[in-house]
Amino acid sequence: KVTIVEYSDFQCPFCTKGYTTVETQVLKEYGDKVKFYFKHFPLAFHPWAEPAAIATECALQQKPEAYWKLYNAYFEKQKEVTPQNVKEKSWEFLADQGLDKAKFDDCFDNKKTQAIVKAEMAEGQSLGITGTPSFVINGRLLVGAQPFEQFKAVIDDELANAK
């Protein structure tokens, strides 16, 4: 098996390219041969990235599927989100998830999941990550919005070594 850990920022345009490559090519081609983990790495100059990361973790506390729903929505509708509307957009994206709005709002407004986001950033920094998107594939670092071929080369090499 191959493990891919992505350190990313929901507001980063290059991260959207990385998201598209991972979701439409890597995970489709390799299926259960790869395990994918998403880690937060909101950059300071992206004003709604950290609130969005906090929101995904708030959603996760109520329902795992809601986390992935927000993850998809933030990348697919990145241009619709602003620092002023991130909370409202998050709730709009989660409308069909059956979450407790008061619980979500309390979590978001009081940044109850900020420590999780900060811990994931610190983890990434300890691995030498400074920008997004960055991918760690079985311990090998792949930096930037790389084309599918770059992922394929590393994954195929890791699968061959696993035999």
Side-chain angles (χ1 to χ4, degrees):
K1 286 239 184 214
V2 174
T3 300
I4 301 170
V5 180
E6 178 182 7
Y7 290 87
S8 190
D9 170 323
F10 289 121
Q11 194 176 345
C12 155
F14 293 105
C15 296
T16 298
K17 286 182 180 167
Y19 160 83
T20 302
T21 302
V22 167
E23 292 294 323
T24 65
Q25 292 179 283
V26 175
L27 297 178
K28 285 200 174 25
E29 168 124 353
Y30 291 97
D32 63 2
K33 289 182 189 159
V34 299
K35 197 169 213 141
F36 175 71
Y37 294 94
F38 181 85
K39 303 272 185 153
H40 301 290
F41 205 89
L43 302 172
F45 55 88
H46 286 149
W48 64 262
E50 185 177 270
I54 289 168
T56 57
E57 293 299 326
C58 289
L60 178 64
Q61 288 184 345
Q62 292 191 50
K63 188 177 178 186
E65 299 82 24
Y67 174 97
W68 293 107
K69 175 94 183 211
L70 265 187
Y71 157 86
N72 289 320
Y74 287 141
F75 285 124
E76 291 169 11
K77 298 176 181 181
Q78 193 178 65
K79 289 179 174 37
E80 295 177 24
V81 184
T82 67
Q84 295 74 33
N85 76 6
V86 67
K87 181 180 169 186
E88 292 72 26
K89 280 291 180 186
S90 300
W91 192 248
E92 180 185 306
F93 300 149
L94 292 169
D96 65 349
Q97 295 296 299
L99 302 185
D100 179 327
K101 187 171 186 333
K103 246 176 149 167
F104 177 85
D105 288 349
D106 177 54
C107 179
F108 182 86
D109 294 340
N110 295 300
K111 299 181 179 179
K112 290 185 171 180
T113 58
Q114 187 176 38
I116 296 165
V117 175
K118 297 283 189 205
E120 289 185 358
M121 279 196 77
E123 177 187 290
Q125 288 165 338
S126 76
L127 297 172
I129 289 164
T130 56
T132 59
S134 289
F135 302 87
V136 180
I137 304 172
N138 281 14
R140 293 163 69 175
L141 190 59
L142 191 63
V143 179
Q146 298 291 333
F148 173 68
E149 293 70 34
Q150 293 291 107
F151 285 93
K152 185 172 174 41
V154 175
I155 294 167
D156 287 349
D157 188 49
E158 288 297 321
L159 288 172
N161 290 335
K163 289 180 179 162

